[in-house]
């Protein structure tokens, strides 16, 4: 029977100078790793998309290295399983981008396809009121790679985010009698928005995946910081003044993991 670690991507044939492949049998299955030597004082473990890399001092014996791997076998196998699943998900995403795929846009799932004869991307629905049957046509050759398709889709989404967020931030600010210095799109990996003391606001472009109520909540949240640079009771009162009934959208956003969003190039 093939073990899970054997199914995991092993290091490629091009190894770093002086490195070698080594396999240790553990109760959790075979663990194959790249072994490299260095002047470090202890044995180091690094696990990533290519598997396990062990770096050990020159004076440490192979037996000691194997024993160190055995000691951490359960932890190593869990990490390898995590990266194996992540690699499989990435491979599936790569394949889906080579055919028709779908994306969440303003809370609706739209289709993505190719129009090899077009000069620019086009959307066959209402840009700010999409329906499930709508399609985004990317102006790419039929043989375009998955990376090209992802990049083209991301560019279109960012363009829509720029236009839609600009509309909504001005509407909400004007209704609340607030003035901000400037705003721009953000590509942050862990924040939906920000506002600094000078009144400059940043909004994560990936909010364009979500429903309008969530987008409005994030905008209202950042606008409220123009009055309260904190999260005090007064701050939340300010959010409520800008966007009454914001609580439902806030709760929905709290349950969203950024890593669950489509893998697009930003």
């Amino acid at each position: 029977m093939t073990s899970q670690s054997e199914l995991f991507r092993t290091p490629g044939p091009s190894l770093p100078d002086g490195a070698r492949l080594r396999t240790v049998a553990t109760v959790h299955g075979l663990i194959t790793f790249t072994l490299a030597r260095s002047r470090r004082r202890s044995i180091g473990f690094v696990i990533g998309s290519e598997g396990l890399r062990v770096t050990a001092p020159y004076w440490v014996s192979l037996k000691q290295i194997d024993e160190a791997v055995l000691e951490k076998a359960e932890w190593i196998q869990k990490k390898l399983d995590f990266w194996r699943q992540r690699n499989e998900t990435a491979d599936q995403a790569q394949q889906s981008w080579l055919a028709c795929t779908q994306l969440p846009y303003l809370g609706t799932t739209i289709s993505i396809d190719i129009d090899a004869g077009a000069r620019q991307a086009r959307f066959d629905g209402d840009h700010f009121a999409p329906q499930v049957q709508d399609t985004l046509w990317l102006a790419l050759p039929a043989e375009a790679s998955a990376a090209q398709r992802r990049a083209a889709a991301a560019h279109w989404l960012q363009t829509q985010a720029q236009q839609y967020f600009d509309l909504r931030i001005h509407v909400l600010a004007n209704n609340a009698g607030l003035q901000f210095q400037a705003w721009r799109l953000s590509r942050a990996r862990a924040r939906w928005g920000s506002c600094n003391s000078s009144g400059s606001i940043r909004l994560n472009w990936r909010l364009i995946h979500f429903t309008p109520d969530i987008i409005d909540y994030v905008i209202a949240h950042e606008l409220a910081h123009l009055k309260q640079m904190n999260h005090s009771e007064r701050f939340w009162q300010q959010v409520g003044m800008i966007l009454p009934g914001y609580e439902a959208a806030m709760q929905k956003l709290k349950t969203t993991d950024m890593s669950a969003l489509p893998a697009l190039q930003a």
Side-chain angles (χ1 to χ4, degrees):
M1 180 181 294
T2 304
S3 69
Q4 286 187 335
S5 54
E6 288 175 310
L7 291 171
F8 188 83
R9 249 182 231 173
T10 56
S14 179
L15 297 174
D17 292 341
R20 56 185 290 190
L21 289 180
R22 188 166 180 80
T23 300
V24 174
T26 78
V27 295
H28 302 284
L30 295 176
I31 295 179
T32 299
F33 58 94
T34 300
L35 173 61
R37 297 286 190 169
S38 74
R39 298 180 182 276
R40 61 177 295 141
R41 296 182 179 181
S42 60
I43 300 175
F45 299 85
V46 176
I47 301 176
S49 62
E50 296 300 324
L52 170 63
R53 177 186 174 93
V54 178
T55 305
Y58 291 108
W59 52 267
V60 173
S61 68
L62 291 177
K63 180 181 179 181
Q64 289 174 307
I65 294 171
D66 291 349
E67 290 173 347
V69 172
L70 286 168
E71 183 179 349
K72 293 182 174 289
E74 183 176 1
W75 172 81
I76 290 171
Q77 190 61 65
K78 287 181 179 179
K79 291 292 186 179
L80 290 176
D81 287 344
F82 166 80
W83 279 101
R84 175 179 55 80
Q85 293 171 6
R86 185 165 178 172
N87 287 341
E88 289 175 353
T89 299
D91 289 343
Q92 292 169 2
Q94 178 85 354
Q95 291 303 315
S96 70
W97 275 101
L98 292 176
C100 286
T101 188
Q102 295 181 319
L103 280 178
Y105 170 57
L106 284 176
T108 299
T109 300
I110 63 171
S111 298
I112 309 294
D113 211 333
I114 297 294
D115 183 352
R119 293 186 177 183
Q120 62 183 16
R122 78 176 193 278
F123 185 59
D124 62 10
D126 186 326
H127 282 234
F128 293 162
Q131 303 295 318
V132 292
Q133 70 270 21
D134 294 339
T135 299
L136 168 61
W137 297 90
L138 302 176
L140 293 171
E143 66 275 12
S145 67
Q148 289 175 312
R149 297 179 187 219
R150 286 197 303 270
H155 176 74
W156 185 84
L157 287 171
Q158 289 174 34
T159 299
Q160 303 312 303
Q162 180 71 40
Q163 297 173 4
Y164 186 75
F165 297 174
D166 189 67
L167 172 66
R168 295 307 301 162
I169 196 171
H170 281 94
V171 167
L172 291 172
N174 290 339
N175 288 346
L178 297 172
Q179 292 186 340
F180 56 92
Q181 183 66 29
W183 85 271
R184 61 175 175 165
L185 293 180
S186 162
R187 299 184 180 185
R189 294 181 178 274
R191 300 184 71 178
W192 295 117
S194 64
C195 177
N196 61 29
S197 58
S198 66
S200 180
I201 292 172
R202 301 188 71 182
L203 301 170
N204 196 309
W205 73 268
R206 305 202 73 178
L207 286 166
I208 199 65
H209 291 304
F210 299 125
T211 51
D213 62 325
I214 291 179
I215 297 172
D216 277 0
Y217 160 65
V218 175
I219 293 174
H221 185 114
E222 302 313 328
L223 287 173
H225 280 309
L226 297 172
K227 292 289 187 179
Q228 298 288 332
M229 290 298 293
N230 52 55
H231 290 101
S232 64
E233 183 177 347
R234 288 186 177 181
F235 166 80
W236 291 110
Q237 290 174 350
Q238 185 67 44
V239 176
M241 291 173 60
I242 300 170
L243 187 69
Y246 70 87
E247 292 85 357
M250 178 180 70
Q251 290 302 319
K252 284 193 289 185
L253 189 61
K254 281 184 176 180
T255 63
T256 300
D257 181 359
M258 274 190 167
S259 64
L261 295 177
L264 294 169
Q265 291 183 349

